[in-house]
Amino acid sequence: MLLKKFTHGCVVLASKMLPDSFVLVGILTLIVFVVAMPLTHQTPLDMINHWGNGAWTLLGFSMQMALVLVLGQALASAKIISNMLKNLASIPSGPFGAIAMVTILGLTASWINWGFGLVISAIFAKEIAKQCKGVDYRLLIAAAYSGFVVWHGGLSGSIPLTIASGGDTLAKTTNGVITESIPVGETIFSSYNLIIIAVIFVCLPFILALIHPQKKDIIEIDTKLLEESKEVEVISHKNEHTIADYLENSMLISLAIGVFGFVYIISYFYKGGSLDLNIVNMIFLFSGILLHKTPISYVKAINFAARSAAGILLQFPFYAGIMGMMVGASAANGDSLAGLLSLAFAKISTHDTFPIFTFLSAGIVNIFVPSGGGQWAVQAPIMMPAGVELGVKPSIIAMAIAWGDAWTNMIQPFWALPALAIAGLGAKDVMGYCVITLIFTGFIVCGVLFFFT
């Protein structure tokens, strides 16, 4: 089968050529540093200053991502959740069903909320790998992460939600193109976006299941990972019958804290709050406290899960620095590398091709600026006026940027770090498989955008 051979080639190439995620972010840093100087007419010191000024701009987001990883893992280790995942993971009887089921879960969870999808799909994929023999572990995790490709077309997509909010900031960001809010009915729930989502939901699980490697090429889950997953369960606490011991093992304290938190959560949604990353973390936190039953049990679960956050803590400042260099403009002419790239694509576009070129340019920019909000701030001032001048609807332009931002995440390990940490794998283990998701979704989005423009 040609598709399976092509996939095998991508997997082999990625395993041999793709370095550790930290090495990759170092290489991306140097590439942007070298390329940006002549194009934006800036000095090496200018670029270094842009990097330094940007390095800590993702601190809040880094903490959110670290928490969604740690709190999600701690919640999954609670006995009731663990047993539920085990029961679900026992449903597929072979590799085809296992890959398809993980992909569907990843797509569904990511469409609802991207942070929730990243964690729960990877945890579920790992659980299936423990029970389903003969399934390739790398492809399972790649299938779990592939669900992330739909997040900007889903309920937590930052760009469609941004243009739905309206306000003076939106008008300024789009250079006056969008002066009033654009409802989600024209973006997330538009006919073209729903068609893209539907095609991906129907076809992607089947495609990823089809590319499962032959028996001789399968790599199953490492037994060391199976042993590590049991560690949090086997740790015991010696009962010394002291006041401290009583408090640490008090279910009443956990119950009181849990009720405290859920009163806030219920109040938040009652007042019309949306399902953002902060409230997802809040739900993970207080659910974990309640389901682990005692404070000391939850503390141990957090201590165990926190080991997985190292990659996020190390690499996110470097990605923030890259963003700083990408959007850092020359004091003389105001050009930034991201802006010049967007402008180049806008100049070669026509009415029919503009959404496609917007999508492609957003995909390229996303490799270096892996942040929906950051990318919108860079591309919207250029692409929105250019598209409107060619007669393209602002809602379509915005969604083209959104889908481009999500698209190349399939070959960008920034967002994959939580899933990789849970799985105990590196980017080179899964990116070869993710190339298939990249190619498939790229064709679907381009085709639908072209038809509806």
Side-chain angles (χ1 to χ4, degrees), residues 34-323:
V34 172
V35 172
M37 284 188 291
L39 293 179
T40 61
H41 308 291
Q42 299 186 74
T43 66
L45 184 58
D46 289 332
M47 298 309 299
I48 291 173
N49 285 333
H50 289 319
W51 188 94
N53 292 334
W56 306 116
T57 56
L58 290 180
L59 273 179
F61 181 65
S62 300
M63 186 63 175
Q64 287 178 317
M65 288 296 288
L67 281 174
V68 78
L69 170 61
V70 173
L71 297 176
Q73 278 192 276
L75 174 60
S77 69
K79 192 171 183 179
I80 186 172
I81 301 295
S82 179
N83 289 338
M84 182 180 69
L85 290 174
K86 287 177 182 177
N87 290 334
L88 287 174
S90 66
I91 294 175
S93 57
F96 191 97
I99 300 299
M101 189 173 183
V102 166
T103 308
I104 292 170
L105 176 69
L107 289 167
T108 304
S110 294
W111 188 83
I112 295 171
N113 180 271
W114 63 266
F116 175 68
L118 274 179
V119 172
I120 196 65
S121 59
I123 292 172
F124 184 62
K126 188 174 180 180
E127 189 59 47
I128 280 189
K130 298 175 189 177
Q131 298 194 45
C132 189
K133 301 300 180 183
V135 62
D136 190 274
Y137 184 49
R138 302 163 302 170
L139 179 54
L140 266 177
I141 300 303
Y145 179 60
S146 290
F148 189 63
V149 77
V150 302
W151 82 276
H152 255 314
L155 301 181
S156 62
S158 60
I159 291 175
L161 293 181
T162 295
I163 64 175
S165 63
D168 295 336
T169 301
L170 181 62
K172 183 178 180 180
T173 304
T174 60
N175 276 336
V177 170
I178 303 178
T179 55
E180 297 181 356
S181 64
I182 297 178
V184 293
E186 296 181 27
T187 53
I188 295 174
F189 296 106
S190 64
S191 56
Y192 63 87
N193 190 64
L194 292 177
I195 289 173
I196 293 172
I197 294 292
V199 173
I200 292 174
F201 263 77
V202 171
C203 297
L204 187 59
F206 182 75
I207 292 172
L208 292 181
L210 279 180
I211 63 173
H212 190 271
Q214 298 178 2
K215 190 173 182 179
K216 62 183 179 66
D217 298 318
I218 291 173
I219 296 179
E220 296 189 66
I221 189 170
D222 192 335
T223 54
K224 292 181 180 178
L225 293 175
L226 295 176
E227 293 169 2
E228 287 177 4
S229 66
K230 296 177 182 177
E231 183 175 333
V232 71
E233 299 175 8
V234 300
I235 295 175
S236 62
H237 182 72
K238 184 179 179 182
N239 193 330
E240 298 176 348
H241 302 292
T242 63
I243 294 177
D245 181 74
Y246 172 78
L247 293 174
E248 290 173 355
N249 289 277
S250 172
M251 294 178 62
L252 186 61
I253 291 179
S254 289
L255 178 62
I257 296 173
V259 170
F260 181 90
F262 271 98
V263 167
Y264 168 77
I265 292 169
I266 294 169
S267 172
Y268 171 84
F269 284 115
Y270 180 77
K271 293 177 180 177
S274 60
L275 191 67
D276 59 20
L277 197 55
N278 286 332
I279 200 66
V280 167
N281 277 331
M282 192 81 78
I283 294 170
F284 281 175
L285 171 62
F286 289 106
S287 297
I289 290 172
L290 285 174
L291 294 179
H292 275 277
K293 297 183 179 179
T294 66
I296 195 63
S297 176
Y298 190 63
V299 168
K300 289 173 182 176
I302 291 291
N303 287 340
F304 181 78
R307 305 175 187 181
S308 303
I312 292 174
L313 300 179
L314 175 62
Q315 295 177 44
F316 273 34
F318 283 87
Y319 278 110
I322 292 173
M323 288 173 56

Side-chain angles (χ1 to χ4, degrees), residues 428-445:
K428 65 181 179 181
D429 297 313
V430 301
M431 289 299 162
Y433 291 113
C434 290
V435 168
I436 304 303
T437 303
L438 177 88
I439 295 172
F440 170 70
T441 54
F443 275 114
I444 297 303
V445 174

